[in-house]
Each structure stands twice: as C-alpha cells, then as structure tokens.
Amino acid sequence: MDINGKYCIVGVGHTAYGRLPGRTAVNLTVEAIRNAIDDSGIDKSEIDAVLTKYPTSNFQSLFSTRVSQALGVYPKVTATLDQAGASNIGLIAYAIFCIEAGLCSAAVVSYGDNPLTGTRAVYGGRPAGATYGGDEAVSGMTGAPCGYALIAQRYRFEYGLKEEQLGTIATTFRRHASLNPNAQYRDPMSMEDYLNARWVAEPFRLFDCCPVTDGAAAVVVTSAERARALKKAPVYVMGFGQGHPSWDLPQRPVWTTTGAAISGPAALRMAGIGVSDVDFAELYDCFTIVPIVTLEDYGFCKKGEGPEYIGGGRIDLAGELPLNTSGGLLSETGMPGMQLIVEAVRQLRGEAGPRQVRDPEIGIVSNQGGIMTTHATLVLRR
Amino acid sequence: MTAEYAKPLPLRTEENAPYINGLKEKQVRLQRCGGCGRFRYPPSQFCPSCLSDEAEWQGVSGRGTVYSFIIVHQLYHPGFREDIPYSVAVVELDEGPRLTANIVGCANDDLRIGMPVQADFFQAAPDAVILKFRPA
C-alpha cells in the first residue's frame, strides 16, 4: 500500500486555548471540527468519518459517537483511540487506511478536553482521604512531571544534561509563542526567569512542565484527488509511524531511547526522505527533556548529542531546524498534540504570519503519550 | 507507628497480596517464574517474558542500586506536606526488577544514581508496612 502523497490534510481548526469554564469535551470538539471544516471549504455533508482521541481527563465510552451526534453526522466510520498523546497521528493513519479501503472519503480527526476547569485528577493531585494506592502514590509521586523528571535525571546520568539546556527548550518555545496570537503563554521568558522558577520535581522546574489547559483542535483528512478542488493548498501526508514502549517506566529496560527510535525512521522511510530533507519540526514537548530525546531518536543527531544540538540558535525560527514554531505544549497550549499538527499545516501553507518559517517544504511532527509510553510520527509536505 | 499516618497506604489486590504480606514480615518477596526462572514485578498471573503461569513467591535480598530519583517539591498529596522536599527513587534490585520507593537515611543532596541501597521496612499502620530503601 503506497500512501506517500495520496492523502492530505485539507482543513485545520481549534478553539481558544486556556481556561474555558462551562464547556464540555463534546462541545469543544464540535467547535474545533466546525472550524476545521470551514477552513477546508468542504461541505459538512461530505464528512463520513468521525475519529476522536478520548478526552484525557474524562475517559468516556462511545465518545466519537457523541461527537458525531453533536455534529449531525451519520458516519460510515467512527472510533475513539487510546494511544494517549500519540492518538492524533494514530487516528490520521486510521483515517487514511479507511479511505484507502473505500470505507469513507473524508474524515475529521479531533481532540477536545477541559481538564483545567473540569476534573484534573488524572494530571496529579489527590484529595485528602485517598488512603490507598500503588507504589507511586505510597511514595508521594503522582502525575506526569515526576515520571518525566525520573527520565531526565537518568538521561543526565547517562549522557550529561545542563539545566540551561532544558532552559533553551523552554525559552525558545516561549519566544515562538510570543508571535502566536493563539498561544496561552506569550510573555517573554528569559533564561533567568526559567532558572528562578520554583522546583516541581528536581530536575524539573515549573517551566519544564507544560500547563494543563482546556481546548480542542481538529483536522480534515481526504484524498489528494478531492483536495485539489478545495479552496486551500493541500498539505500532503508523506509518511507516518508508531512505536510504543508500553511498559510502566520502572520495568522498561531503557529509559533514554523511546518509541521515537522506531516510529521516526518508519515515517521517514514511508516518506522516502531523510532527516536532512526536513525543514522544520513540531515535536511533542509535554516536558523539556522530550523534544531533546525525540531529536536524537529521529536521527537529527546522535544519542547523547541532543542537549548540544538544540543550542546555538539551531531551533530558532531562522535556524537550521526551527522547532515548535507555535510554542508547543510548553507555551501554546498543554493540549496533547493536535496543536502541533495544526501548526505544521499552517507553516506548510505559509499562514504562520510573524512566526512563519522561510519557505518550508517538509515538516515532521511527533506525538507521544503516557510517560514516553506511546509515540507516533507524521511527515507532511506542501 | 501512628494512628494519624496521613499518606496513602499500599493497596492490596488479589495479585499483590503475597508481596504486601511479605513486607509485613520485613521481607521483599517477589514472584519467580517457574518457566524461565526470572523474578518479576509488578505481580502478574503470567510471566511477561515466557508467559508461563507457574510461579512461586520467594524472598529476595532487598539489595539494589538507585536507577534514578527525583526530589519532589510540589504538594501532590496533603499527607506529604511536612516532608517536602523529599526524594523518590526507582531502585533496581540485584535480582532485576525495579521498585519505586522513598529513600531514607540519606540527605537529598547526597543521593546519587548507582548508589547501593538496602530495603528498609516502615510500619505505617498496625496492618501496613511500607517498603523504603536506605544507603547500604
């Protein structure tokens, strides 16, 4: 099955990002899908597949069917996927498989959740009186920051890692967010600001961790043939990949190489390109260590060289590999990954305004979830 | 031991009961696979290496090394308020499996990856012992 160049993302949309009280995962998702459909110029009656990532903070069964009902769509294909933060790319792959198989012709792929104003128990913090738990709860370690901090500490031991190198990730992405009107955090952040922020779980300070936010984002996927008649320039899917370490962190044999090492090369192989052909990257950055490890695992640099690789302006908008041009999870919004796909599409269309990378042809996106438990990669071209 | 122990206690399940009971007898007890001989954790019906469902519970040394650790400053559970900043480590036992636990008897600044540690058993409640580790 040759996928490269046969399918396109033709529309992107999202809600405001931040504190959105009174909203639900379903109505946020519908707003994002409506905006993506409008952006594509496709008629809603053509949408015959509705695919959703489950709302992280409020797992509910049959979520995609509720979204379908709220959209007024009677889909030929619908599904909700659980690959945590890797789900968005997993769903784009699923959409392409179903279109290729003739089951449907135009899919919306979406994520929406309201963990900030709804329930956020899944992100850590437990009410008093929760008196029984597993080893992590018993030892006072709850939530994703602790897990990723354990990985960062191990990385530092194996390869070396300076706090300013994590700070380069946080401050660079904030600078990019300052040029993005949709970003939740646009105030400038200096290295001093980064280093002076409070500790969360050493080696992580506050700005090593992405925020918890409400919001939704969506894309429309269809065939290249259909895409050519639509109003905006199509963005072609060149390749995708997955790799899922899956095991709970303690028993996982290796912590500093992730599913990206399988997923990235698979996606690049499908795309028929190498990393030197990539003009910019939008890499999942729930915590500052993650894009550093992902760059290594994708082959942009050797294992252990990531902390040096991101220095010297290389990941700035005008650098050799502009990285997280909209601010990423760390500064645009803590949403798990769909915003990175939206931004890659905008960059390839030349719609990114003051943060536009110069004339990009190919972009790579990573999604990952859990504690580096899942990983997926998407390669796009204009 | 205190009746006011305010932190989470180990959740006992059908699968982990022998482990929890081992702690009460001040012993780290793990499943050892009858098929491939590997020790494993967390407890499970089937060995994730060879999928054998034959296993026996054996006491292990309680010795290991720190594989990684963090110093927690954020308040995640009100019971830990007085302990902040406190360390949590993943300890690799000499027998292979890795366990998550607090380290006692070691200042946060002195904690190092690779440091040899030894199991330590903390009586948190009359019917609950929590595994911790201290420098060996």
Side-chain angles (χ1 to χ4, degrees):
Chain A
M1 188 158 71
D2 185 19
I3 295 295
N4 185 355
K6 286 179 70 179
Y7 296 94
C8 294
I9 297 177
V10 296
V12 296
H14 55 84
T15 63
Y17 298 138
R19 184 176 290 279
L20 306 172
R23 303 293 300 272
T24 66
V26 169
N27 74 40
L28 287 166
T29 301
V30 169
E31 181 183 342
I33 291 174
R34 183 195 66 188
N35 294 346
I37 289 173
D38 286 350
D39 181 63
S40 73
I42 211 164
D43 193 86
K44 193 190 85 171
S45 63
E46 277 191 60
I47 301 297
D48 53 7
V50 176
L51 303 173
T52 59
K53 177 193 180 306
Y54 69 95
T56 309
S57 75
N58 184 14
F59 198 106
Q60 41 197 299
S61 69
L62 290 173
F63 183 71
S64 70
T65 68
R66 293 173 208 211
V67 170
S68 299
Q69 171 175 320
L71 283 170
V73 169
Y74 188 111
K76 293 174 179 164
V77 172
T78 192
T80 299
L81 189 64
D82 179 6
Q83 295 173 335
S87 305
N88 308 296
I89 291 174
L91 286 167
I92 288 171
Y94 190 86
I96 288 171
F97 298 149
C98 290
I99 301 172
E100 177 82 13
L103 297 181
C104 58
S105 61
V108 289
V109 176
S110 64
Y111 172 74
D113 194 15
N114 60 340
L116 184 56
T117 56
T119 173
R120 61 192 296 181
V122 70
Y123 291 98
R126 292 289 181 277
T131 51
Y132 291 91
D135 298 342
E136 294 187 359
V138 167
S139 53
M141 176 188 147
T142 309
C146 291
Y148 282 92
L150 278 168
I151 292 173
Q153 185 85 287
R154 182 71 198 180
Y155 185 97
R156 185 160 76 176
F157 172 78
E158 291 183 12
Y159 299 109
L161 177 66
K162 298 187 181 105
E163 49 192 3
E164 290 82 1
Q165 291 167 327
L166 294 177
T168 295
I169 291 288
T171 56
T172 303
F173 296 177
R174 177 60 64 88
R175 206 156 55 242
H176 298 170
S178 73
L179 302 171
N180 175 7
N182 304 310
Q184 224 181 317
Y185 296 94
R186 295 193 293 262
D187 293 341
M189 184 203 299
S190 66
M191 186 63 78
E192 198 180 7
D193 295 334
Y194 166 82
L195 291 169
N196 287 337
R198 68 178 170 87
W199 290 111
V200 173
E202 292 179 57
F204 282 166
R205 298 178 167 89
L206 183 62
F207 298 126
D208 290 299
C209 310
C210 75
V212 173
T213 57
D214 301 334
V219 300
V220 181
V221 178
T222 191
S223 65
E225 194 177 13
R226 178 71 188 92
R228 279 191 277 273
L230 292 170
K231 66 180 181 187
K232 288 195 172 173
V235 168
Y236 294 87
V237 175
M238 297 181 78
F240 44 77
Q242 299 185 20
H244 307 298
S246 296
W247 303 2
D248 283 350
L249 184 63
Q251 310 312 328
R252 203 177 299 163
V254 176
W255 288 12
T256 50
T257 296
T258 73
I262 295 167
S263 177
L268 291 164
R269 199 160 49 242
M270 192 187 291
I273 61 164
V275 287
S276 60
D277 299 307
V278 173
D279 297 311
F280 68 98
E282 309 290 344
L283 302 183
Y284 204 94
D285 58 333
C286 47
F287 299 92
T288 46
I289 185 67
V290 180
I292 292 174
V293 171
T294 304
L295 285 166
E296 295 172 347
D297 288 347
Y298 280 3
F300 284 94
C301 57
K302 291 193 182 125
K303 184 52 68 182
E305 293 178 355
E308 292 285 337
Y309 178 85
I310 54 137
R314 180 179 266 127
I315 62 171
D316 292 352
L317 291 175
E320 179 189 320
L321 186 74
L323 185 59
N324 292 19
T325 52
S326 62
L329 276 75
L330 286 168
S331 281
E332 183 182 27
T333 169
M335 164 188 295
M338 188 65 96
Q339 74 278 43
L340 303 172
I341 301 170
V342 169
E343 173 67 5
V345 169
R346 288 187 171 142
Q347 287 288 347
L348 290 167
R349 287 172 169 176
E351 290 179 345
R355 64 180 192 282
Q356 179 65 48
V357 170
R358 191 163 165 270
D359 202 28
E361 285 181 36
I362 295 175
I364 194 165
V365 184
S366 76
N367 274 189
Q368 62 118 67
I371 310 296
M372 295 186 177
T373 311
T374 61
H375 193 100
T377 312
L378 183 65
V379 182
L380 300 171
R381 71 169 166 84
R382 68 180 186 205
Chain B
M1 191 197 305
T2 162
E4 294 95 43
Y5 186 77
K7 298 166 189 168
L9 291 168
L11 179 67
R12 185 178 150 136
T13 65
E14 209 151 292
E15 280 189 326
N16 78 5
Y19 172 77
I20 299 284
N21 291 339
L23 295 183
K24 285 185 210 167
E25 293 164 32
K26 311 249 156 111
Q27 186 180 50
V28 179
R29 213 170 276 169
L30 298 179
Q31 279 173 303
R32 184 170 205 174
C33 179
C36 67
R38 288 184 175 85
F39 284 97
R40 68 175 180 260
Y41 190 86
S44 59
Q45 178 90 43
F46 297 92
C47 170
S49 291
C50 73
L51 300 182
S52 167
D53 62 352
E54 287 178 22
E56 73 175 57
W57 287 87
Q58 287 186 12
V60 297
S61 64
R63 282 192 299 271
T65 54
V66 173
Y67 188 77
S68 190
F69 67 93
I70 53 175
I71 309 298
V72 179
H73 293 253
Q74 174 97 23
L75 181 67
Y76 286 109
H77 185 286
F80 287 87
R81 193 181 301 276
E82 303 303 317
D83 297 356
I84 287 173
Y86 58 90
S87 63
V88 182
V90 171
V91 171
E92 185 167 279
L93 295 175
D94 289 353
E95 292 81 4
R98 300 190 192 126
L99 301 177
T100 303
N102 298 114
I103 303 288
V104 295
C106 180
N108 289 342
D109 286 347
D110 296 335
L111 205 44
R112 296 285 181 275
I113 288 177
M115 173 186 281
V117 290
Q118 171 72 46
D120 194 84
F121 302 91
F122 175 70
Q123 190 88 40
D127 197 32
V129 170
I130 292 173
L131 176 66
K132 296 176 187 269
F133 286 89
R134 64 171 58 252

